[in-house]
Amino acid sequence: MTLGTWIVVALVTALAIWGVGIYNRLVQRRNRIANAFAQIDVQLKRRHDLIPNLVETARGYLKHEAATLEAVIAARGAAQSAVAAARLTPVDAGAIGALTTAEGALQGSLGRLMMVAEQYPDLKADATMASLSEELGSTENRLGFARQAYNDEVLHYNDEAAQFPQVIVARLFGFAVAPMLESTRSEAERQAPKVQF
């Protein structure tokens, strides 16, 4: 072989090693997103497992609030379905968007349940209800930290996949932009609540 052939072989080899290195880093980043989502999944499961106990405890006191209790159970079911879909593809924008919407609906129905519960002093004083509410609050805090970790991993992945020359490998092998988890989806949700006395 001639010197020119050796140079071409060396360049092709170096290019292949470079491409494999970038590909492996992108896979590693995508796997970190999946791991971060798994942490969210753990906290969502914990929240979803607490809800039936909360509803059953409240049911005895809220006989006239069946619609509120049914809304919580329905929202929980929708959220569980959305989590199952997102678990399969934690970098899919559609699945993450559906999860955000379903979890927002669940949060809304839980908020309504808690507001209704405030109107029943016996329920408020119930030790089981207090314990479940405290545990739910703790879970929400853990969920917030898990979401933050997920978004950090998504940011690192998206940054790496969008920078040149990594973007070439990312586009060639289908590394799409991963979606962030958002706490709010519309401008109306971002508005501060108005309190009037």
Side-chain angles (χ1 to χ4, degrees), residues 3-14:
L3 179 63
T5 306
W6 281 109
I7 291 174
V8 169
V9 168
L11 285 175
V12 168
T13 303

Side-chain angles (χ1 to χ4, degrees), residues 26 29 152-164 166-167 177-178 180:
L26 290 171
R29 291 275 183 210
D152 288 346
E153 291 300 338
V154 167
L155 178 64
H156 293 306
Y157 167 83
N158 286 343
D159 282 350
E160 180 134 354
Q163 294 174 358
F164 185 81
Q166 293 93 318
V167 69
V177 173
M180 294 273 193

Side-chain angles (χ1 to χ4, degrees), residues 64-98:
H64 303 295
E65 303 289 345
T68 302
L69 298 173
E70 296 301 324
V72 171
I73 294 300
R76 175 186 178 259
Q80 284 180 310
S81 296
V83 168
R87 188 180 305 121
L88 297 174
T89 55
V91 294
D92 177 55
I96 295 300

